Amino acid sequence: FVRPHGKTSDGHIPLPAPIREGDPWRVVPVTFKRAVLLYDIHIPFHDEQNCQTATRYARDEIGPDCIVLAGDLMDFYSLSFWERDPNLRDTVSELRMGERFLEVLRETFPKAKIILQEGNHEERLPRYVWQSAPELGNLDELKLASLLHCADYNVDVVTGKKPLLAGGNLHILHGHEFGGFMTNPVNPARGLFLRGKVNAVCGHFHQTSHHTEPGLGHPVSTWSSGCLCNLKPKYRPINKWDAGFVSVDLTKQNWSVRTHKIIKGQVV
């Protein structure tokens, strides 16, 4: 006689099996020698001059082998739950502009790895599909990578609030991953330090800043990047935003981060 397993008399507690959410959260390792991080472009509300300035400077002065579109490449204005101007609701045009941006980026950097991280604005797309057409919620053709034809331009897409990990201990985030507001009365970089306690770079707040604190072993540094979108949007014309981007140099021994501001069409 063999007693069946799974009874409390066997020391087993028969709890119900959990629901598996599919693709698990994880940090995504990334390797490169020199990368450029472009944050918060917000197509179709991008600043054309600042985008050209950043792209031209990256091509001529940095020569990256990796471009990270680190969140909010797209705005998806029409899919927002906020109040929307009916004259600006044209998601199809937004998608075509986004695809054209990827096409130009690939033409400018033909050999570079290009990674598109989803930010909070890209997350508007699946939320809209789930709410409006839940039966189609898992259809690949309605996902960002398909709608922007990322495979045609050899662009990798990172979803699910997954940070990139460069050099073993530099985390590249969009900035919305912690939920709520991460900023504080000092600057976004200090807010990132307080929430993450690791070396990290973020965008999301459209503001360039840097924060470093010593530790028992090595100091911990955090950075936030300026944006490449319209600096005076109708919904928030008075703000602390600035234009800019980030470059990262990576070696086997170390890495370095540099924030670049764009003022009057010039990188400073």
Side-chain angles (χ1 to χ4, degrees):
F1 176 76
V2 178
R3 181 185 301 170
H5 294 286
K7 295 184 177 181
T8 55
S9 58
D10 297 327
H12 175 75
I13 301 176
L15 297 175
I19 296 177
R20 303 298 179 184
E21 294 185 292
D23 188 19
W25 185 93
R26 65 187 186 279
V27 176
V28 180
V30 59
T31 58
F32 53 77
K33 293 181 179 179
R34 181 169 289 174
V36 169
L37 317 181
L38 304 178
Y39 281 96
D40 297 289
I41 299 172
H42 287 274
I43 293 172
F45 304 112
H46 54 291
D47 187 296
E48 184 177 8
Q49 181 184 37
N50 288 339
C51 286
Q52 290 182 349
T53 297
T55 304
R56 188 182 304 111
Y57 187 92
R59 181 195 62 191
D60 298 340
E61 304 296 333
I62 299 177
D65 61 323
C66 181
I67 304 290
V68 180
L69 301 169
D72 289 0
L73 167 67
M74 306 297 298
D75 189 86
F76 285 125
Y77 176 82
S78 301
L79 310 185
S80 171
F81 53 75
W82 302 104
E83 294 180 358
R84 294 154 290 175
D85 183 341
N87 297 314
L88 300 177
R89 299 181 63 172
D90 191 348
T91 302
V92 174
S93 293
E94 288 188 39
L95 288 168
R96 298 291 75 80
M97 293 173 71
E99 182 182 358
R100 176 57 181 165
F101 184 92
L102 295 181
E103 181 181 14
V104 171
L105 199 65
R106 175 51 70 197
E107 292 173 352
T108 307
F109 303 97
K111 297 182 180 180
K113 177 194 296 287
I114 301 178
I115 302 173
L116 195 166
Q117 274 183 295
E118 287 191 347
N120 56 299
H121 278 252
E122 280 88 8
E123 290 176 353
R124 290 175 172 178
L125 173 62
R127 183 172 63 240
Y128 177 82
V129 175
W130 295 342
Q131 292 174 346
S132 303
E135 293 81 3
L136 304 178
N138 293 321
L139 193 65
D140 287 341
E141 286 79 1
L142 294 180
K143 294 181 180 179
L144 182 68
S146 295
L147 293 173
L148 292 180
H149 300 99
C150 290
D152 294 345
Y153 309 106
N154 195 21
V155 175
D156 297 327
V157 180
V158 176
T159 63
K161 295 183 172 65
K162 300 183 185 72
L164 302 179
L165 182 64
N169 64 355
L170 177 65
H171 297 73
I172 301 172
L173 308 93
H174 176 61
H176 73 303
E177 291 83 355
F178 293 102
F181 290 96
M182 189 178 65
T183 189
N184 57 74
V186 180
N187 57 52
R190 186 170 185 271
L192 178 60
F193 169 82
L194 293 174
R195 296 296 295 273
K197 298 299 197 312
V198 294
N199 298 303
V201 187
C202 79
H204 188 52
F205 301 100
H206 303 193
Q207 184 179 349
T208 303
S209 64
H210 173 225
H211 183 79
T212 296
E213 290 197 19
L216 290 176
H218 300 282
V220 175
S221 295
T222 51
W223 296 262
S224 68
S225 174
C227 61
L228 293 173
C229 61
N230 174 21
L231 295 178
K232 299 294 182 182
K234 183 182 295 185
Y235 77 95
R236 190 180 295 174
I238 301 175
N239 56 61
K240 294 183 179 180
W241 299 357
D242 61 77
F245 58 98
V246 174
S247 61
V248 181
D249 287 305
L250 187 65
T251 66
K252 292 182 179 180
Q253 292 77 28
N254 211 338
W255 46 261
S256 63
V257 175
R258 183 181 177 187
T259 56
H260 306 265
K261 284 189 175 185
I262 301 175
I263 300 177
K264 295 182 178 180
Q266 299 295 319
V267 177
V268 297

